Amino acid sequence: MIVWIVFIAFVLVFLALDLGVFHKNEHVIKSKEAGIWTAIWVTVALAFSGVIYWLFNAEIIDNPTALTPNDAVLKYITGYLIELSLSVDNVFVIAVIFSSFKIPPLYQHRVLFWGILGAIVFRALMILFGVALITKFEWIIYVFGVFLLYTAFKMLKGDDDNFDPKNSFVFKQIKKIYPVTTTMHGHDFFVKRMGLNAATPLFVALIVIELTDILFALDSIPAILAITADPFIVFSSNILAILGLRSMYFLISRMLEKFRYINYSLVIILAFVGLKMLFSHYVHLPEWVSLTVISVALISGILASTLIKDKNKEHGTES
């Protein structure tokens, strides 16, 4: 438990520094700053693979799945890349939510900061629950596998392209439970008007982001559990990917149109991981195969988005 406590303390210290020092004064985060912070978070996450190796090599942490230090590192990096790649789709939804509730860029970091805190708690519970299920009921891995294939199919069809937060079930329920004002009040989540407390668009956006993150976790956590059932590797790779999500949002949200083929990469990754789960008792792929498939899928999506011209835009400019 000492390792878990130290890791969680490490995460909390980073979050405190983030809000209390580096972003003490609210400002619009430009692409350059977002790029620097994304590079920092990715570096921290990849450097943590050295900690993973040390923990498993020195046998400081429980090793319920009997991993060698090298295998533990490979599984950690693969899990991290899966979560990072699936976060790209999450970025798109966050952008839609901010646009729908007209959240100014000045306050978007504050909303995402508190959203990350909630996501860490919820994902910790889901990971522990998921690991417990796989450990106790081996057949549950087939359920997860089918669910991931279904998610990949839905993503391929583009069923979620017309997502409108203001028409969502969640938003309607919030309005029923608590008064909601349509006007901003600085960076406040709540405001007192005519003797009544009301939630501002910032708070509503926070709740909707929090709940959509839980829905995304339903995809990403089974995907990482397909790589390993070691709870610490699943938790650490997941959380370190989430910590970099805010800076990634400010970097990628301005380039979403450029990455129009990245969704196909995510479809391939989810389909591959789903099939890996379904055939896990019959086919045992080396970890480098999973890492290669995920890396190639991501790089291919980025290269295709960069090199293939958008015909719709060409026609638009001609007309």
Side-chain angles (χ1 to χ4, degrees), residues 2 5 15 47 52 66 95 107 119 135 145 151 162 173 200 256:
I2 292 173
I5 292 165
L15 286 171
I52 293 287
Y107 305 128
T135 306
T151 305
N162 299 319
Q173 295 309 307
T200 66
L256 277 172

Side-chain angles (χ1 to χ4, degrees), residues 135-291:
T135 306
K136 195 162 187 179
F137 308 105
E138 283 193 8
W139 54 266
I140 206 76
I141 201 165
Y142 298 119
V143 177
F144 285 161
V146 170
F147 181 75
L148 290 177
L149 288 175
Y150 172 69
T151 305
F153 176 70
K154 272 185 68 182
M155 195 177 284
L156 187 62
K157 280 179 65 183
D159 287 348
D160 299 326
D161 288 350
N162 299 319
F163 172 67
D164 183 1
K166 284 191 174 178
N167 292 327
S168 66
F169 173 78
V170 174
F171 178 65
K172 290 173 183 175
Q173 295 309 307
I174 292 170
K175 286 186 76 174
K176 285 180 185 177
I177 296 167
Y178 203 88
V180 175
T181 177
T182 55
T183 55
M184 300 289 297
H185 197 269
H187 66 206
D188 294 334
F189 288 119
F190 297 96
V191 62
K192 198 160 191 172
R193 308 196 91 177
M194 297 166 62
L196 284 173
N197 286 322
T200 66
L202 278 185
F203 180 74
V204 179
L206 172 63
I207 296 299
V208 175
I209 286 173
E210 203 73 75
L211 291 170
T212 52
D213 180 75
I214 292 172
L215 293 176
F216 275 103
L218 292 174
D219 300 337
S220 64
I221 288 172
I224 294 179
L225 289 172
I227 304 302
T228 179
D230 184 279
F232 186 73
I233 291 177
V234 175
F235 182 69
S236 56
S237 61
N238 206 280
I239 298 307
L240 285 171
I242 290 174
L243 287 175
L245 181 60
R246 288 156 306 154
S247 52
M248 190 186 289
Y249 164 77
F250 292 108
L251 181 66
I252 295 178
S253 61
R254 295 175 177 88
M255 302 187 292
L256 277 172
E257 288 184 9
K258 292 182 182 178
F259 294 126
R260 61 193 184 283
Y261 290 113
I262 202 75
N263 261 19
Y264 294 107
S265 300
L266 303 184
V267 168
I268 292 167
I269 290 168
L270 284 174
F272 169 73
V273 174
L275 289 171
K276 187 180 177 185
M277 276 190 148
L278 289 177
F279 294 101
S280 60
H281 290 120
Y282 310 100
V283 180
H284 299 283
L285 295 174
E287 284 315 311
W288 64 266
V289 173
S290 300
L291 197 55

Side-chain angles (χ1 to χ4, degrees), residues 52 69-79 227 286-288 291:
I52 293 287
N70 288 331
D71 280 345
V73 168
L74 277 174
K75 286 178 183 293
Y76 165 78
I77 294 173
T78 307
I227 304 302
E287 284 315 311
W288 64 266
L291 197 55

Side-chain angles (χ1 to χ4, degrees), residues 300-311:
S300 301
I302 292 168
L303 287 175
S305 302
T306 308
L307 300 174
I308 300 173
K309 292 181 180 178
D310 191 345
K311 289 182 181 178

